[in-house]
Amino acid sequence: MTLIQTHLLISTKSTFSMLIIFRFSFIALLLFAMIQQVTGQQLSAEIKNALKEDNSQAAAVALEGQHLDLCYEVGNKTYNLLALSIKINAKDVLAYLLDAGANIEAYCEDKTPLMYAVKYGKLDMVKMLVEKGADPSFVLEDQAAIDYAIQYRHPEILSYLKSLGGYRIYDLEGVDGPYVFDDKAFFVNEALELERKQIDRTQLLRVKVGNKDQDEFDVQLKEIKIPEAVYPKASKVIVISDIEGNFNGFYSFLLNNGVMDEAYNWTYEDGHLVLVGDFVDRGEAVTPVLWLIYHLESKAAEQGGQVHFILGNHEIMNIQGDVRYVQEKYIGVAQQISSEKEWETAYQYLFSDQSELGAWWRSKNVIEKVGDYLFVHAGLSPEILQYRLSINQINEIARRHLEQDLYARPSQDEQANFIMGAKGPLWYRGLLGDYKDYYERAKKSDLKRILKFYDANKMVIGHTVVEDISTDYDGLLIRVDVKHNTNKASGKTKGLLIEKGVAYKVDDLGKRAKL
């Protein structure tokens, strides 16, 4: 082949390639224009008025000859007509669209019409859609209608969807466990399969975290005992709250403040580690966080130290089967272990008194005192003083009623209703401000009366997020619930250190600053 022939061949191929590219570009532009026509429609004034006035006859006229499943731009989102009629509560227009043949499962972004009806709490529209054939179990963007009922707290809609058998069976995601029931342990392995093993309770159990570093440690099962609630002054006390399944932040906080070493040995000597509740929910490493606390509790006792795991409202919610803030993978584990599809029942079994972690939780306190510091998850309302309850009595009442949702369904027991209710130590927010219609912010004189009654000088609380570890009420209150970082050694996972009578804020780099 000559040089000229080669050049001609290359030129011919290039021209052909350019023609192909041009042709495909033209097709792509045409398709893009068609997609824009479908997803970028503007609502006409006639359609807007029909929706606004919920006028089905006007809608029929405005939409004559038009496709009923087009997507329309509204603000920075797109909706089809079914979703728009639900959003603005145009019930008659919704009924017309369904009768006229609109696709009941059509969607423009991330929600079907049924999901919108659930999100906006429109039970009548939910029922209308289901009766017309909407599938309650349809999953989009890893969400089903029932997930929105939980997320947006619509109990009536949730109850209705449950009655339809709308429970999802969730997948297992990543290594997890162990979940121990007497001499049986359940693990989720690397193949995302649930393994069941017979165990010797005298032997160590391996806990795998499933994080990037693939951390793991061994745990020795133990006899569970109810701890004391009042302790003498300690040489040093380190405090953290509201870890919420964040193993990485918790790990580096403990490691870089000398509480443990890289082999998970207790290195805090006779010091005390106080955990002020809410170490579960939201996060993806709840199980290893719990086992790490369980493990360090035993190791601390061997060295003359102490771990205080004070229950928060989220531990109680887990015990009661409230799964609103639970990662879906844990519901999936619970469903498989318990053989129950119903989420609440499955999850209650996971942390029942038959499980090692569930029995361990049931031994814990909701309020403790170390030296002259009072530790409680949410805070104490001034109204608690009318009951004249000691610290031990508060814990005994709470322990007897852990499985009862007295917050939502009060009993005949006035004291129990108070301790487990909105003004009790698990939920009260009045030390930080007014809270809805429940109560006003407590006064300094109120806090002083509470501290005097319990022979304490300061109170430490979590539960309500603040920007930094900080004091209030002229130093009588210390607030330790901050937004922890989910990476190791970020400097943003923080807690409190009390050493030689001085209070410091500390982070997961080991840095400290006097409060």
Side-chain angles (χ1 to χ4, degrees), residues 384-396:
I384 198 170
L385 296 179
Q386 71 188 36
Y387 297 102
R388 312 295 294 178
L389 296 170
S390 69
I391 289 174
N392 285 330
Q393 287 173 325
I394 292 171
N395 287 320
E396 288 166 6

Side-chain angles (χ1 to χ4, degrees), residues 73-132:
E73 290 182 359
V74 178
N76 60 354
K77 291 179 69 67
T78 54
Y79 305 85
N80 62 21
L81 293 170
L82 288 175
L84 281 173
S85 63
I86 292 163
K87 184 177 172 65
I88 67 172
N89 204 31
K91 188 175 178 180
D92 288 345
V93 173
L94 176 66
Y96 157 72
L97 291 168
L98 292 172
D99 289 339
N103 185 347
I104 204 165
E105 303 290 10
Y107 59 90
C108 297
E109 292 189 11
D110 58 354
K111 296 181 188 68
T112 64
L114 179 60
M115 292 172 185
Y116 274 114
V118 173
K119 174 183 175 179
Y120 292 121
K122 303 186 185 302
L123 179 59
D124 54 347
M125 290 184 169
V126 169
K127 290 182 176 179
M128 183 190 302
L129 290 163
V130 170
E131 288 165 4
K132 290 289 186 178

Side-chain angles (χ1 to χ4, degrees), residues 287-332:
T287 315
V289 163
L290 294 176
W291 281 119
L292 180 54
I293 299 168
Y294 182 103
H295 166 74
L296 289 175
E297 194 175 71
S298 301
K299 294 299 181 182
E302 293 172 4
Q303 302 295 323
Q306 184 74 36
V307 173
H308 308 257
F309 185 15
I310 297 167
L311 298 178
N313 60 300
H314 280 270
E315 281 82 22
I316 306 305
M317 290 165 69
N318 276 220
I319 288 172
Q320 295 172 359
D322 187 333
V323 298
R324 279 177 291 171
Y325 303 97
V326 174
Q327 286 280 340
E328 294 169 356
K329 66 177 185 177
Y330 293 117
I331 299 175

Side-chain angles (χ1 to χ4, degrees), residues 125-196:
M125 290 184 169
V126 169
K127 290 182 176 179
M128 183 190 302
L129 290 163
V130 170
E131 288 165 4
K132 290 289 186 178
D135 181 4
S137 63
F138 181 75
V139 177
L140 181 62
E141 298 286 340
D142 200 33
Q143 297 283 300
I146 201 164
D147 296 305
Y148 290 104
I150 293 171
Q151 181 181 347
Y152 291 97
R153 302 188 186 185
H154 299 307
E156 290 185 358
I157 293 176
L158 180 60
S159 178
Y160 172 69
L161 293 174
K162 285 179 182 179
S163 72
L164 303 173
Y167 286 102
R168 289 179 63 189
I169 304 299
Y170 287 104
D171 295 330
L172 306 179
E173 300 176 17
V175 297
D176 189 26
Y179 295 95
V180 178
F181 294 80
D182 194 19
D183 61 350
K184 296 183 291 293
F186 296 86
F187 302 82
V188 180
N189 62 27
E190 286 80 358
L192 304 186
E193 299 168 335
L194 186 69
E195 294 183 7
R196 171 177 169 165

